[in-house]
Amino acid sequence: MLGKILSVALCATAALATPVTVKRDNFGLEWVSKDSSLPKVVLYNTGGTIVSTSNYSTIDNVNYGSGPRVYPEYLIGNYSVILDRAQIAIVDMSNAGGSSNLNSTLYYNVSKAANEHLCSEGSDIAGAVMFHGTNTEEDTFFGVDLTLNCSKPFVATGAMRPESYISNDGPSNFYQAVAVASDPKARDRGALVVFNDRISSAFYTIKTNGNTPDTFKALEQGNLGACLGGQPYWYFEPSYPVARYHFDLSSVASGQDLPSVVVLFGSQGFDTSLMFAAVANGAKGIVIMGAGAGQLSTAAVEVAGKLKEQGVPVVASLRPVTGASPPKPYEQNYISSGYMQAGKARIQLQLCLATGMGWEGCRDVFEKDMREVIYNDSTQYYFS
C-alpha cells in the first residue's frame, strides 16, 4: 500500500505549479531550476534512509528499506521549495544494500567528483550536498573533508527516518543542506554536516545515537551554526579545524583500493595475536581503541614496536566517546590519534599510507599539532 501511495506521489511531481527547466553544463550535469540566477548545488546521491521506504507501516523506523526506492527527483518534486534556494544537479552514486556494505572506494569517488565539479578553474557551482546512509556516513564525509582541494562547501546530510515515516526528517535535512551549500558564508570551513537543524564540522562530527534524528554531533567542539527558518545562522566566522590535513589523491589511480586499515577494540586481556593476524590478512595499518585516553597494554606496545620495524603503523585511539589520545613525552612504538575517534583515525591513516608518507610521516600528521601545544615543539619527544 505504501508503495502505491509513493508511486502516485512520484507521478504527481510531473505537474509542478511552477515551471521547471533542465539545462546541461560543461561537466555534463543537468541542472533543474525554477530560476537560473540562483546558486548551483550539485547533489551526490549515494543512497541511505533519506531515499528509503518501508512496506510495513508509516511508523516503521527500524525495518525499512524493503519498500520502493525514492529518488532525489521525487524529493525535489514533492518539496519544490528546495528550488527556491538553488539550482540542483543530481549525480547518482547509489549502490544496492545499506551503507554498511560500502568501502573507501566511495569517498574516493565522491571526492574525485567534488574536486572536479567544485574546484575546477572557472567552475560556477557554489557547493555540493551528499546523501548517504547514516551508518557509515562519517567515514565518507571525513574522507572527503581531508581530500577536497578548494574552499567551497561540501555538505553531508541524510535521514534517520525513512521517507514513508509519519514525521520523516529527510526533506528538512535536504532543504537545509542545500541552503548551507549555497551560502557564501559556508566557504573556508572544510566539509560540513547538516542534520536536525544543526551545522557542524565534518572533521569533528560523529554519530552519537543509532536511532534518533538528533544523532550527528561534535560533542566537545560544538556546532558551527543552526538553521533557523530553514536558513543558516553562523555562530563563528569561517575557519578550518586546527589539525585538519589535506591529502592529494591525484596520484592514486581511479578504482585503486586504498590501503587496508583494521580497527581493534582494546579490552582487558587484549589478544595481541589479532594484530599479527590483521597484518597477515593484508592490513597495512592498525587502529586500536585504547582504554581511557588511548592507553595500550604493555604487550600491545611491544607488538606495535615489532610492526613498526615492518613499516606498519599502529595508531592508539580511545574508547570513550569524547576526549583525546595525546602523545607521550618520549619516543613511542605507536602513534597517538589526538582528538580523533577510531573511525576517523582509520580514514586518516589510510590516506597517509595511500599517499606514501611512511611511519614517521603518518606520526607527524597525527601528532604534530598536539606536540607543539604540549611540548612546545612538534619534534620534541621529551619534557624539557
Side-chain angles (χ1 to χ4, degrees), residues 40-44 114 118 125-130 152-156 177 181:
K40 291 181 176 179
V41 173
V42 59
L43 169 64
Y44 302 116
L118 301 184
I125 301 175
V129 169
M130 179 183 70
K152 292 181 180 179
F154 178 93
V155 182

Side-chain angles (χ1 to χ4, degrees), residues 218-249:
L219 293 171
E220 289 277 0
Q221 297 79 17
N223 299 314
L224 302 181
C227 289
L228 301 173
Q231 310 311 312
Y233 178 88
W234 301 96
Y235 301 148
F236 313 102
E237 293 297 318
S239 65
Y240 289 99
V242 170
R244 181 177 176 267
Y245 192 92
H246 174 259
F247 296 89
D248 182 2
L249 292 183

Side-chain angles (χ1 to χ4, degrees), residues 260 262 264 272-286 303 306-308 310-314:
S260 173
V262 171
L264 301 175
T272 57
S273 69
L274 296 173
M275 300 167 70
F276 290 118
V279 174
N281 200 39
K284 305 302 181 184
I286 296 173
V303 173
K306 294 178 180 178
L307 295 179
K308 178 182 178 182
Q310 301 176 33
V312 178
V314 173

Side-chain angles (χ1 to χ4, degrees), residues 202 263 353:
V263 178
L353 294 169

Side-chain angles (χ1 to χ4, degrees), residues 54-308:
S54 171
N55 273 331
Y56 301 115
S57 167
T58 56
I59 57 171
D60 174 24
N61 65 346
V62 292
N63 294 308
Y64 53 87
S66 57
R69 182 184 175 194
V70 172
Y71 292 90
E73 293 87 347
Y74 162 81
L75 295 175
I76 294 171
N78 255 24
Y79 310 100
S80 59
V81 66
I82 292 167
L83 293 179
D84 293 336
R85 198 64 175 81
Q87 304 178 70
I88 306 293
I90 301 166
V91 177
D92 185 39
M93 295 183 169
S94 57
N95 294 292
S99 65
S100 298
N101 295 316
L102 299 174
N103 57 35
S104 57
T105 302
L106 179 65
Y107 77 70
Y108 171 84
N109 290 336
V110 174
S111 176
K112 183 178 178 182
N115 273 292
E116 178 187 5
H117 296 147
L118 301 184
C119 308
S120 294
E121 185 176 354
S123 170
D124 63 348
I125 301 175
V129 169
M130 179 183 70
F131 284 175
H132 199 293
T134 61
N135 285 347
T136 62
E137 185 163 13
E138 181 184 330
D139 296 27
T140 302
F141 66 59
F142 185 68
V144 174
D145 184 32
L146 298 186
T147 55
L148 187 62
N149 193 30
C150 64
S151 64
K152 292 181 180 179
F154 178 93
V155 182
T157 194
M160 290 294 289
R161 295 169 173 172
E163 177 62 17
S164 53
Y165 193 72
I166 194 169
S167 60
N168 55 334
D169 55 328
S172 175
N173 289 343
F174 184 15
Y175 178 88
Q176 291 176 1
V178 169
V180 170
S182 59
D183 185 2
K185 293 181 181 179
R187 296 177 66 126
D188 298 300
R189 298 177 187 269
L192 302 168
V193 181
V194 173
F195 268 83
N196 205 46
D197 302 333
R198 293 182 172 91
I199 309 167
S200 58
S201 166
F203 189 82
Y204 289 118
T205 299
I206 59 174
K207 186 176 182 180
T208 63
N209 189 293
N211 310 103
T212 65
D214 190 24
T215 179
F216 283 98
K217 299 178 181 180
L219 293 171
E220 289 277 0
Q221 297 79 17
N223 299 314
L224 302 181
C227 289
L228 301 173
Q231 310 311 312
Y233 178 88
W234 301 96
Y235 301 148
F236 313 102
E237 293 297 318
S239 65
Y240 289 99
V242 170
R244 181 177 176 267
Y245 192 92
H246 174 259
F247 296 89
D248 182 2
L249 292 183
S250 60
S251 62
V252 178
S254 181
Q256 176 181 333
D257 289 337
L258 297 182
S260 173
V261 175
V262 171
V263 178
L264 301 175
F265 188 84
S267 62
Q268 290 182 346
F270 176 71
D271 183 359
T272 57
S273 69
L274 296 173
M275 300 167 70
F276 290 118
V279 174
N281 200 39
K284 305 302 181 184
I286 296 173
V287 175
I288 300 178
M289 298 172 65
Q295 292 296 112
L296 303 186
S297 68
T298 302
V301 172
E302 182 179 340
V303 173
K306 294 178 180 178
L307 295 179
K308 178 182 178 182

Side-chain angles (χ1 to χ4, degrees), residues 297-361:
S297 68
T298 302
V301 172
E302 182 179 340
V303 173
K306 294 178 180 178
L307 295 179
K308 178 182 178 182
E309 293 174 357
Q310 301 176 33
V312 178
V314 173
V315 173
S317 183
L318 63 163
R319 284 166 43 179
V321 69
T322 62
S325 172
K328 304 295 184 186
Y330 45 78
E331 187 77 32
Q332 302 176 143
N333 289 335
Y334 59 91
I335 299 167
S336 297
S337 72
Y339 276 104
M340 206 166 286
Q341 299 292 325
K344 293 181 186 292
R346 184 187 76 85
I347 298 295
Q348 179 156 285
L349 182 55
Q350 196 174 42
L351 290 169
C352 287
L353 294 169
T355 51
M357 288 188 168
W359 200 98
E360 287 77 14

